[in-house]
Amino acid sequence: DERYLQKHPELEFMLKVFSEFVLAKKPSDPVETAVDFFTQENLKGVIFFLHQVEKQRQQRIAQEKNKIK
């Protein structure tokens, strides 16, 4: 449901992180990789950290664009 995703942007980000991970690793068993990824003990911390890194990256890009203007 689109409204649910809008209320929880972290879910979309988490799926993006997982997709990028799978595409980079190209595991022979992507289902097992999904199980390992989504059941890791520190998943919340990993997603939080990567989300912060992504926000900082986007801020740097916006700052660079403002410098060019």
Side-chain angles (χ1 to χ4, degrees):
D1 179 57
E2 192 168 330
R3 281 185 277 164
Y4 183 81
L5 288 175
Q6 288 173 346
K7 288 181 180 180
H8 299 282
E10 69 279 6
L11 180 59
E12 187 174 348
F13 183 76
M14 185 170 49
L15 293 172
K16 177 181 179 260
V17 168
F18 173 70
S19 296
E20 290 174 354
F21 176 77
V22 169
L23 292 173
K25 297 290 185 182
K26 295 179 180 48
S28 59
D29 187 349
V31 173
E32 183 65 28
T33 301
V35 169
D36 292 344
F37 181 86
F38 288 108
T39 60
Q40 62 182 299
E41 190 173 313
N42 62 343
L43 179 60
K44 187 174 183 176
V46 169
I47 296 301
F48 178 79
F49 172 76
L50 292 174
H51 193 247
Q52 294 303 311
V53 169
E54 178 65 16
K55 283 172 41 178
Q56 291 173 357
R57 186 185 73 79
Q58 290 176 358
Q59 288 172 345
R60 283 194 306 273
I61 290 170
Q63 289 171 348
E64 291 299 318
K65 284 182 180 179
N66 287 335
K67 286 180 184 179
I68 294 172
K69 291 181 182 180

